[in-house]
Amino acid sequence: MSKLWGGRFTKETNTIVEQETASIGFDQQLANEDIRGSLAHAQMLGECGIITMEEAEQIQTGLKTIQDKIVQGQVEFSVEHEDIHMNVEKLLIEEIGAVGGKLHTGRSRNDQVATDMHLYLRDKIQAILALLTQVQEALYEQAQANVETILPGYTHLQRAQPVSFAHHLLAYFWMFQRDKERLKDSQKRVNGLPLGAGALAGTTFPINRERVAELLDFDFVYPNSMDAVSDRDFILEFLSDASILMTHISRLSEELIIWGSQEFQFIELDDSFSTGSSIMPQKKNPDVPELLRAKTGRVNGNLVGLLTVLKGLPLAYNKDMQEDKEGMFDTVRTLDASLSMLAPMIETMTVKTAHMRQAVTQDYSNATDIADYLATKGMPFREAHDIIGKIVIYAIEQGKYLLDLNMDEYTGFSALFEEDIYDILRPEHVVSARHSQGGTGFEQVEEQLQQAKAALQ
Ligand code: ARG
């Protein structure tokens, strides 16, 4: 027997056409999902009396044998049979004879492939959620150990106000929390069953879709057969969520790269997460965060690719849709590898608390606190802001920091200054004074750690 759809054809398929229209090269990754779907379909066909229960069992036994053979690497897929669906069906017929040909009763590859992808993404999203939790745990651990580690906080990459390092790390914890919430929400839509939609219009056989949904643990059955076979929103949604997630990873990576530079020296990545240079013996390069930063490009590309494939596509199934797979596989693989490296990289990095501390004593990031000081004493904030601006210019001219100015110098700018200004200006005070809800004050950060812990449970 040649092609499963060969009946209507009088000529062989052109060789390049056969090669290029086939998807088996990549959709063999769906073999397990394809067989799971078929096992449930056969069961339902038997229970509904569309085939005999004995035939259903024969088909199921055959499918399980094929599944085992695939796992053991004993199966060679062929381009002649185009995709995973027809390859498995062909193998089944070889395995159990003509009765294998009854499996495709009441279904089409169109509802079959959609079902495979729902099953596939459902599992992958679970796995990605677990990896995201590992990244959050790594951030949480480092945050817990660094509540009182102070470093400059930046806006415009200019030193702004000192913050607790834990506070900075927890900012990423919450980004990843939102990524998890988005993915969890998408599960509602991933977990629907297209099977039973047939090619596009349903089927003449008395099938039971609810039963298949039950067997495959789907929460709902697509209510419209045309939508069922042509919907790829669940993949688009996954790819969008992935792009937002990679954006977060790239931002964190960028900070790790900057922090690890000679100019900053706030952290050092572990040797096991760094690489060397073929020419410069002294180099220890942050290749891992650099690659993570760059991988955002391909993940965004996969999203734009599928959006473009689907744009303007008429109902119902079109071969264009076969192009939904490689980008999806690539994004899954990229997220898996990226998150798997990110968690241990954060866990093993060295936090150079002394360098961070030194940085906050050699800048003017406590200037806001002097303005707040005068404002607390009744001076309008705008006026205080102006005076402190002048103090900063004066200090820079003198080659001093704000803590180095003496009392005479301060009172020269305003009679409101008293000795307590020196306490106000200490980095610890500057940080702990920001005790508004969600601020970097140490007590607020402790509170935030509690919230993070609760989110992890
Ligand atoms: N390999 C196809 C795909 O990935 C399966 C569905 C093919 N259906 C069809 N009518 N050609 O989309």
Side-chain angles (χ1 to χ4, degrees), residues 23 27 82-83 85 109-110 113 317 319 321-322 325:
S23 53
D27 68 11
E82 197 175 320
D83 55 26
H85 325 295
R109 277 186 295 157
N110 298 350
V113 69
Y317 179 84
K319 187 72 166 180
M321 288 173 157
Q322 184 166 288
K325 283 171 204 65

Side-chain angles (χ1 to χ4, degrees), residues 97-375:
V99 63
K102 293 201 171 192
L103 171 63
H104 212 52
T105 314
R107 78 172 183 188
S108 149
R109 277 186 295 157
N110 298 350
D111 53 350
Q112 190 181 354
V113 69
T115 303
D116 289 4
M117 285 192 295
H118 279 269
L119 287 169
Y120 172 85
L121 265 192
R122 182 170 79 179
D123 286 356
K124 293 301 178 190
I125 288 173
Q126 269 314 118
I128 289 164
L129 283 170
L131 288 172
L132 268 168
T133 299
Q134 284 175 20
V135 171
Q136 282 184 307
E137 277 163 359
L139 288 167
Y140 178 85
E141 297 287 312
Q142 284 286 12
Q144 207 176 28
N146 285 290
V147 174
E148 292 185 7
T149 304
I150 299 173
L151 80 165
Y154 296 80
T155 61
H156 313 270
L157 207 53
Q158 301 286 326
R159 292 196 188 170
Q161 290 169 348
V163 293
S164 151
F165 188 46
H167 195 55
H168 199 132
L169 293 174
L170 287 173
Y172 285 98
F173 180 98
W174 297 115
M175 292 182 218
F176 292 127
Q177 183 63 19
R178 289 195 295 275
D179 290 322
K180 278 165 71 173
E181 283 163 16
R182 257 186 292 278
L183 285 168
K184 281 183 194 163
D185 191 69
S186 77
Q187 285 179 314
K188 287 185 213 154
R189 289 165 292 279
V190 173
N191 213 17
L193 175 77
L195 204 66
L200 76 164
T203 173
T204 55
F205 292 96
I207 58 167
N208 183 348
R209 298 183 69 203
E210 297 296 340
R211 177 65 179 138
V212 178
E214 186 187 8
L215 288 167
L216 292 174
D217 210 14
F218 278 112
D219 293 333
F220 69 95
V221 167
Y222 269 77
N224 180 307
S225 61
M226 295 181 81
D227 184 37
V229 292
S230 63
D231 175 33
R232 297 292 182 271
D233 293 357
F234 65 104
I235 304 178
L236 280 180
E237 211 177 325
F238 169 73
L239 295 177
S240 316
D241 293 351
S243 285
I244 299 174
L245 164 55
M246 279 310 290
T247 300
H248 296 155
I249 292 178
S250 76
R251 295 181 73 174
L252 175 55
S253 296
E254 170 69 2
E255 300 225 68
L256 295 176
I257 295 162
I258 292 177
W259 288 342
S261 68
Q262 287 271 282
E263 285 68 20
F264 278 72
Q265 297 187 58
F266 287 175
I267 60 135
E268 185 174 342
L269 295 178
D270 195 65
D271 274 6
S272 58
F273 283 87
S274 307
T275 48
S277 156
S278 61
I279 170 167
M280 298 165 283
Q282 86 284 8
K283 292 296 291 289
K284 181 171 156 182
N285 291 329
D287 283 24
V288 177
E290 286 174 306
L291 269 177
L292 295 185
R293 186 173 59 180
K295 295 278 182 201
T296 313
R298 66 197 297 149
V299 170
N300 289 353
N302 292 335
L303 168 63
V304 174
L306 185 58
L307 281 168
T308 312
V309 165
L310 293 172
K311 182 200 168 293
L313 212 57
L315 294 178
Y317 179 84
N318 301 271
K319 187 72 166 180
D320 309 50
M321 288 173 157
Q322 184 166 288
E323 286 289 309
D324 61 2
K325 283 171 204 65
E326 285 161 290
M328 176 184 74
F329 291 142
D330 183 69
T331 289
V332 165
R333 205 202 89 78
T334 304
L335 287 189
D336 183 90
S338 302
L339 293 167
S340 298
M341 287 193 286
L342 186 56
M345 183 166 68
I346 294 167
E347 244 161 53
T348 56
M349 73 183 184
T350 305
V351 181
K352 296 183 162 176
T353 50
H355 278 104
M356 290 181 175
R357 169 74 216 194
Q358 196 185 12
V360 282
T361 52
Q362 293 176 354
D363 64 19
Y364 298 88
S365 63
N366 44 4
T368 314
D369 294 71
I370 326 186
D372 288 355
Y373 175 85
L374 293 182

Side-chain angles (χ1 to χ4, degrees), residues 406-425:
N406 64 36
M407 215 48 234
D408 285 343
E409 289 174 310
Y410 271 115
T411 48
F413 284 96
S414 166
L416 292 173
F417 282 115
E418 291 175 79
E419 276 292 333
D420 60 350
I421 187 64
Y422 294 105
D423 186 46
I424 298 284
L425 289 179

Side-chain angles (χ1 to χ4, degrees), residues 53-64:
M53 215 48 228
E54 202 195 345
E55 289 168 334
E57 277 157 24
Q58 265 179 286
I59 289 171
Q60 288 174 325
T61 309
L63 286 168
K64 283 178 195 155

